[in-house]
C-alpha cells in the first residue's frame, strides 16, 4: 500500500494526460483547431469530472484498482463530463457519448490494467 501512496499523483497525471489526448484526438479527427486553448476547452468538462470522481475514490488507496474503483471513475468521468459539457453550452450527440465511453474506457481502464499487470509481475519477480 505504501507503494501506491507514493505513486498515486503520478498515476493521476497519466490519467489527466490521457484525457487531454482524448480531446486532442477528437479535435484532430473532426478537423478542429489543435491550439492549446481549444484542446483544453474540449478536455475541461472531462477533467473536472475525473477530478471529482478521483477525489471521491480516495486515490491514495485505489488509484490502480480496476474493480470497482476504475469502473466507477471511468463511468463517472463520462457521465459527469458529458453533463458538464452540456452545462457549458456544448453539444453531446449520442455518437459522441458512445465514442467518449469507448475511448475513455480504453484509456482509463487500460492504464489501470497495465499498472496492475506490471505490479503483479514485479511482485512475482521479487518473490
Amino acid at each position: 500500500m505504501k507503494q501506491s501512496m507514493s505513486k498515486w499523483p503520478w498515476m493521476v497525471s497519466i490519467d489527466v494526460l490521457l484525457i487531454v489526448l482524448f480531446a486532442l484526438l477528437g479535435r484532430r479527427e473532426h478537423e478542429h483547431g489543435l491550439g492549446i486553448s481549444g484542446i483544453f476547452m474540449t478536455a475541461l468538462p472531462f477533467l473536472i469530472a475525473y477530478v471529482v470522481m478521483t477525489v471521491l475514490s480516495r486515490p491514495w488507496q485505489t488509484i490502480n484498482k480496476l474493480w470497482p474503483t476504475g469502473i466507477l471513475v471511468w463511468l463517472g468521468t463520462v457521465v459527469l463530463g458529458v453533463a458538464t459539457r452540456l452545462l457549458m453550452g456544448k453539444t453531446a450527440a449520442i455518437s459522441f457519448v458512445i465514442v467518449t465511453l469507448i475511448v475513455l474506457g480504453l484509456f482509463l481502464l487500460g492504464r489501470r490494467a497495465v499498472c496492475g499487470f506490471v505490479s503483479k509481475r514485479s511482485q512475482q519477480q521479487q518473490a
Side-chain angles (χ1 to χ4, degrees):
M1 184 163 309
K2 285 183 183 179
Q3 189 175 29
S4 65
M5 284 184 69
S6 65
K7 291 187 178 182
W8 76 266
W10 288 105
M11 297 299 110
V12 167
S13 298
I14 292 169
D15 286 347
V16 165
L17 288 174
L18 289 169
I19 292 168
V20 171
L21 178 62
F22 157 73
L24 184 144
L25 292 173
R27 289 183 66 82
R28 189 191 71 180
E29 183 65 26
H30 295 286
E31 298 180 6
H32 294 293
L34 293 180
I36 294 190
S37 64
I39 294 167
F40 176 74
M41 290 308 294
T42 301
L44 184 61
F46 300 98
L47 292 171
I48 292 168
Y50 172 78
V51 168
V52 168
M53 294 307 298
T54 298
V55 168
L56 291 175
S57 75
R58 300 180 325 227
W60 54 94
Q61 295 177 345
T62 63
I63 194 66
N64 287 327
K65 289 188 177 181
L66 191 57
W67 176 260
T69 308
I71 301 293
L72 293 173
V73 168
W74 161 53
L75 292 175
T77 298
V78 171
V79 170
L80 289 176
V82 169
T84 303
R85 180 179 167 87
L86 291 170
L87 288 172
M88 293 172 71
K90 303 291 183 183
T91 61
I94 191 68
S95 58
F96 173 80
V97 175
I98 292 168
V99 169
T100 300
L101 192 65
I102 292 168
V103 174
L104 288 181
L106 289 171
F107 284 1
L108 297 176
L109 298 178
R111 200 266 313 146
R112 284 163 175 77
V114 168
C115 287
F117 176 76
V118 169
S119 177
K120 285 182 183 179
R121 292 280 299 195
S122 176
Q123 289 173 356
Q124 288 173 349
Q125 290 176 349
Q126 290 176 357

